[in-house]
């Protein structure tokens, strides 16, 4: 029987990102994936600003940006434009990138760090006790101290631990297809919404486009009916007036989107992340991003507990921090879904009017940009703590580079003070400005902060978060 610190079930973006985080922290990790072959198609296509920041904290973002298409403004609803430069960070844009490319980058990095990835291996049983978890798989039994289910919307891990996946299914039939275009539209993100339906093209930068269609005249087509080129062409001509010379699709599907969330993200030594924890409408491109951010939150916490520097309270903070984020994402995507795909023309018109007028207000624009990009995500701190605690730490310029470069070892970073005897586990960062003293978590959020250096308070914070020292 194989023994490992953490078994990750599912080799999508969430599972691979988690494997990277665990191996960076020196934790043994095996990823089990029921798919025998690596994916060569794509589902998600958007990498948001906060996800790019986190990948930058591991030295992965800039190379990814060169492979994708940068979009600097989005339209939450027709007639309303949101310029992403309002984010004022290193990545004030949306990156269009095929999910398969993101997965390949993460898998390469995970393997380089020493993660074991086993394909063609499905989980069939799970039993946990006070010391660990025994997994039954099609490849034999495995023993792990912790298990994380990142195995998608139909998660076997979630079913095995008996967690309810609460929510609803939308009744709107959506077509997805990857096509090439003889006459591509000039707009980077092309979309038309009218009484006939909605039609979008998302470019992948390699001559292929994701076609997304909601055609009112095809609402009653059976979900198992194959999507044909003739149907796609007809829908685009009805909605946009042109089929843009689209080719036979290399991949297509007809589906009903869902809005569901796991009631709990943790049961004992088993955790849920990514689509196993939350699924929602693809409108807004939130799914993969939320999953990767789940992985960054959970990875360092599991590593800390395995090294004896944390306990149940730290593990419980994953649920406390990420479950509300999942709820928020479901609300955002539900709102966007109803803006562009509502069957009620009156309701849709009212929502669009509200959004267009709300975006004229500066603080509302900033709030919406922050929520869509992930930059505005913050975790609720304990009462009495500094106002920065739980918030995303912005990048800073330092004497020896940027703050997010200092995070690349996957350690805590202490800004504005010396880590002293904790220097093996904490990176000291000297900023060129004079911000408050801040202890930054490995996932780029503030663990502790103070307005001025106090050696006793700094020592207490380091002891709390990074363990005892002589």
């Amino acid at each position: 029987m194989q023994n490992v610190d953490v078994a990750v079930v599912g080799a999508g973006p969430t599972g691979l990102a988690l494997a990277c985080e665990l191996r960076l922290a020196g934790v043994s990790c095996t990823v089990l994936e029921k798919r025998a072959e690596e994916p060569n198609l794509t589902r998600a296509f958007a990498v948001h600003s906060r996800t790019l920041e986190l990948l930058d904290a591991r030295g992965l973002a800039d190379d990814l940006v060169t492979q994708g298409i940068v979009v600097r403004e989005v339209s939450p609803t027709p007639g309303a434009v949101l310029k992403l430069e309002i984010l004022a960070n290193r990545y004030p844009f949306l990156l269009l990138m095929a999910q398969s490319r993101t997965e390949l980058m993460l898998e390469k990095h995970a393997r380089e760090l020493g993660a074991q990835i086993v394909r063609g291996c499905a989980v069939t049983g799970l039993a946990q006790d006070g010391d660990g978890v025994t997994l039954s798989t099609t490849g034999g039994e495995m023993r792990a101290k912790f298990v994380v289910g990142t195995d998608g919307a139909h998660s076997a891990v979630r079913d095995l631990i008996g967690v309810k996946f609460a929510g609803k299914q939308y009744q709107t039939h959506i077509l997805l297809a990857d096509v090439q275009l003889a006459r591509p539209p000039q707009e980077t993100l092309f979309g038309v919404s009218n009484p006939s339906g909605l039609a979008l093209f998302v470019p992948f930068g390699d001559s292929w486009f994701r076609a997304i269609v909601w055609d009112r005249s095809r609402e009653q087509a059976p979900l198992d009916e194959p999507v044909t080129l003739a149907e796609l062409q007809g829908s685009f001509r009805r909605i946009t007036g042109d089929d843009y010379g689209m080719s036979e699709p290399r991949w297509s599907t007809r589906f009903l989107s869902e809005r569901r969330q796991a009631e709990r993200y943790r049961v004992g030594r088993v955790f849920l992340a990514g689509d196993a924890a939350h699924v929602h409408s693809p409108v807004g491109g939130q799914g993969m991003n939320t999953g990767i951010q789940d992985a960054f939150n959970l990875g360092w916490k599991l590593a800390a507990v395995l090294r004896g520097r944390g306990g149940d309270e730290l593990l419980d903070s994953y649920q406390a921090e990420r479950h509300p984020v999942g709820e928020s994402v479901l609300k955002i995507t539900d709102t966007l879904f109803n803006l562009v795909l509502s069957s009620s023309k009156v309701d849709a018109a009212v929502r669009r009017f509200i959004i267009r007028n709300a975006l004229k207000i500066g603080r509302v624009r900033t709030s919406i940009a922050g929520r869509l990009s992930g930059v505005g995500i913050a975790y609720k701190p304990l009462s009495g703590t500094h106002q920065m605690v739980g918030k995303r730490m912005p990048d800073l310029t330092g004497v020896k580079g940027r703050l997010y470069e200092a995070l690349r070892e996957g350690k805590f970073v202490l800004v504005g003070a010396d880590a002293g005897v904790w220097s093996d586990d904490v990176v000291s960062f000297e900023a060129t400005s004079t911000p408050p003293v801040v202890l930054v978590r490995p996932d780029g959020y503030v663990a502790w902060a103070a307005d001025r250096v106090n050696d006793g308070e700094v020592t207490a914070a380091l002891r709390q978060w990074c363990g005892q020292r002589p």
Side-chain angles (χ1 to χ4, degrees), residues 323-337:
H323 198 275
V325 171
E327 287 181 326
S328 176
V329 169
L330 262 65
K331 290 177 182 177
I332 293 169
T333 54
D334 193 50
T335 298
L336 292 173
F337 184 94

Side-chain angles (χ1 to χ4, degrees), residues 9-11 32 34 123 148-158 272-273 275-276:
V9 183
L32 306 176
K34 67 180 180 181
V123 171
V148 185
T150 62
D151 49 342
H154 303 289
S155 170
V157 173
R158 190 184 63 240
L272 300 172
D275 285 355

Side-chain angles (χ1 to χ4, degrees), residues 52 60-70 91 93 95 97:
L52 288 170
L60 301 173
D62 288 348
D63 182 55
L64 200 65
V65 170
T66 64
Q67 301 178 50
I69 296 175
V70 170
Y91 304 101
F93 50 78
L95 184 70
M97 164 73 69

Side-chain angles (χ1 to χ4, degrees), residues 182-198:
R183 303 182 302 279
Q186 293 185 344
E187 300 93 328
T188 303
L189 275 177
F190 170 82
V192 172
S193 177
N194 57 40
S196 296
L198 172 76

Side-chain angles (χ1 to χ4, degrees), residues 117-133:
I117 301 172
V118 182
R119 293 189 177 274
C121 184
V123 171
T124 58
L126 181 155
Q128 59 177 313
D129 53 46
D131 298 318
V133 185

Side-chain angles (χ1 to χ4, degrees), residues 236-287:
F236 266 83
R237 283 195 293 265
R238 271 190 297 276
I239 298 167
T240 73
D242 194 350
D243 63 21
Y244 300 90
M246 66 175 65
S247 66
E248 189 73 36
R250 64 177 177 181
W251 170 85
S252 62
T253 189
R254 189 190 314 270
F255 77 104
L256 291 175
S257 184
E258 293 184 296
R259 179 191 190 277
R260 300 187 187 278
Q261 184 177 27
E263 291 188 338
R264 290 180 290 167
Y265 284 11
R266 179 193 181 194
V267 176
R269 291 178 171 267
V270 183
F271 298 81
L272 300 172
D275 285 355
H278 42 74
V279 294
H280 35 75
S281 159
V283 179
Q286 297 293 313

Side-chain angles (χ1 to χ4, degrees), residues 22 84 122 219 228 248 261 281-282 311 353 361 449:
L22 294 169
L84 297 177
E219 276 289 90
T228 66
E248 189 73 36
Q261 184 177 27
S281 159
F353 175 81
I361 304 170

Side-chain angles (χ1 to χ4, degrees), residues 161-174:
I161 59 176
V163 171
K164 185 177 179 182
F165 206 36
K168 67 178 182 180
Q169 187 175 63
Y170 296 107
Q171 294 307 306
T172 301
H173 290 213
I174 300 174

